[in-house]
Amino acid sequence: MIADPNIDYPERLALALLPTPLQPLDRLSAQFSGPRIWVKRDDLTDCALSGNKIRKLEFTLARALAQGSDTLITCGGVQSNHCRATAILGARLGLKVHLLLRDEELGDGQSIGLDGNLFLDYLAGAEISIYPKAEFQARQSELFEHWSQHYVSQGDKPYLIPTGASDGTGIWGYIRCVQELMGDFKQADIRPAHIIHATGSGGTQAGLSLGCALHQLDAQVLGIAVCDSAAYFQRKVMADISDWQSRYEIPALPASLSVQVNDDFIGPGYSKAGPEVFATIKKVAALEGLLLDPVYTGKAFHGMLTLIEQGYFAEANDIVFIHTGGLFGLFAQREQLSF
Ligand SMILES: *Cc1c(COP(=O)(O)O)cnc(C)c1O
């Protein structure tokens, strides 16, 4: 990738397998009278490390090491892809990792067992504390504080990573991804009008939206919310961007920055998907060999296909879906699919 002389990136660890491929989904596109659908395969950033969090953690972990940290503390849902990526990268770099996990219930007394991401967290040797959802939500900052002091008192140097590594440092990962996408588009000779992705903690959206403005890529980024409202994500994305401004002393934001979120496809709630999402997951797997998950990419992909049917992308020749990973979350919900 050619370095962009206009952007002064901070230090980064090269941890992901980059660049990821950009591929057309032609059998699927032919079933809709709409644009050609492309997919940026960020599910291929590595094997068990799969997904979007590695791009953010390349910058986050570089900062942690620069500060002399030897222990990573982060949090998420019990099937968090971000926590799994942190656990595996911690093992790769020889750092201690402590995960603070929020227990999720699927309803009907079903809960997610030792499967998927949680299984990999244990396998990678992470320290794991699981809290009931209500307690986790009420005490999150207190829990970070408690565990941080615990490690400090042992003589360790903890580094705290927020949910999804979405903060002023993590968002560099998707600012940089925009540069990679520009190379992909040039090679494929396309000018996609829209970039679509699942939004969960806002960092991917912050990086992509800001990245397009900084790199002057004329494509509209659309985040499809998997949990909270569009208004929530507008605030969260702008908070990450202002954290980025203050950490890196960026005086002004590019005038073309715009943040667009659709919250029509959340369904029953975070980590819960309706039957239409599972139907899309099955269809896309069988038709294109592309595997989506029920928590993020399946929901967002289903949203994108619905928007195509509604004519939302009618003016566009090409659109790009960012596949942000999440496969292990599908295994954890295998009971939701029947064959
Ligand atoms: C975390 C995650 C997202 C959402 O990214 P954010 O930056 O947290 O908004 C999307 N897809 C997958 C598979 C994820 O793990």
Side-chain angles (χ1 to χ4, degrees):
M1 193 166 61
I2 310 152
D4 186 323
N6 301 314
I7 296 180
D8 192 9
Y9 288 94
E11 222 180 308
R12 145 181 184 265
L13 303 172
L15 299 168
L17 303 175
L18 302 178
T20 58
L22 178 74
Q23 298 166 341
L25 300 177
D26 286 341
R27 278 183 301 281
L28 183 67
S29 304
Q31 294 192 351
F32 294 82
S33 57
R36 191 175 188 193
I37 306 165
W38 296 75
V39 59
K40 175 67 169 168
R41 298 291 307 274
D42 273 11
D43 55 325
L44 300 180
T45 44
D46 200 337
C47 178
L49 268 173
S50 155
N52 61 339
K53 301 308 181 307
I54 316 177
R55 287 193 191 265
K56 304 191 219 178
L57 289 167
E58 286 191 333
F59 289 96
T60 302
L61 299 185
R63 188 169 188 258
L65 292 185
Q67 294 182 5
S69 301
D70 54 16
T71 302
L72 307 172
I73 305 176
T74 194
C75 71
V78 84
Q79 281 297 328
S80 164
N81 296 303
H82 159 69
C83 289
R84 178 255 310 153
T86 306
I88 296 174
L89 287 174
R92 193 196 277 185
L93 297 171
L95 303 170
K96 229 180 280 182
V97 174
H98 194 139
L99 304 176
L100 313 179
L101 301 180
R102 179 186 71 235
D103 205 4
E104 299 287 347
E105 286 199 357
L106 290 173
D108 304 330
Q110 264 186 305
S111 77
I112 297 167
L114 180 56
D115 199 343
N117 288 303
L118 184 61
F119 171 75
L120 295 171
D121 296 341
Y122 280 110
L123 192 63
E127 200 63 52
I128 293 170
S129 305
I130 301 180
Y131 300 93
K133 191 170 176 175
E135 180 187 356
F136 181 91
Q137 280 165 341
R139 297 182 53 214
Q140 191 174 328
S141 50
E142 195 189 319
L143 291 172
F144 266 108
E145 183 63 22
H146 166 79
W147 286 111
S148 176
Q149 293 202 347
H150 167 83
Y151 286 104
V152 169
S153 71
Q154 286 185 178
D156 297 326
K157 291 195 177 129
Y159 185 91
L160 312 185
I161 306 174
T163 307
S166 290
D167 65 11
T169 299
I171 71 173
W172 279 113
Y174 275 87
I175 294 174
R176 191 170 183 277
C177 179
V178 170
Q179 200 176 317
E180 191 178 303
L181 282 167
M182 289 169 79
D184 296 337
F185 297 166
K186 197 167 172 195
Q187 201 165 12
D189 196 23
I190 55 172
R191 280 185 191 74
H194 303 269
I195 296 171
I196 300 115
H197 68 97
T199 199
S201 66
T204 302
Q205 174 134 33
L208 287 171
S209 303
L210 184 56
C212 284
L214 291 170
H215 293 289
Q216 298 172 4
L217 175 64
D218 188 17
Q220 196 184 73
V221 175
L222 178 65
I224 300 194
V226 304
C227 41
D228 299 284
S229 69
Y232 168 85
F233 280 113
Q234 291 282 351
R235 279 196 304 276
K236 177 61 170 63
V237 166
M238 290 317 294
D240 287 353
I241 291 175
S242 74
D243 184 39
W244 171 83
Q245 275 192 285
S246 65
R247 280 188 193 187
Y248 302 99
E249 298 172 14
I250 315 279
L253 293 176
S256 61
L257 174 66
S258 91
V259 178
Q260 308 221 19
V261 188
N262 177 309
D263 59 6
D264 293 338
F265 302 101
I266 297 170
Y270 178 73
S271 87
K272 301 185 185 96
E276 70 289 353
V277 171
F278 287 99
T280 293
I281 290 172
K282 260 166 110 167
K283 174 182 170 153
V284 174
L287 185 67
E288 292 282 2
L290 187 75
L291 305 179
L292 303 167
D293 77 289
V295 185
Y296 295 99
T297 56
K299 237 180 225 189
F301 202 94
H302 177 75
M304 177 183 72
L305 294 182
T306 306
L307 291 172
I308 291 174
E309 282 173 336
Q310 294 171 354
Y312 184 86
F313 305 113
E315 314 278 290
N317 293 320
D318 298 279
I319 63 174
V320 177
F321 182 81
I322 311 283
H323 191 323
T324 43
L327 178 61
F328 304 112
L330 178 60
F331 290 103
Q333 293 197 36
R334 59 166 69 77
E335 274 82 28
Q336 308 285 318
L337 283 163
S338 56
F339 300 100

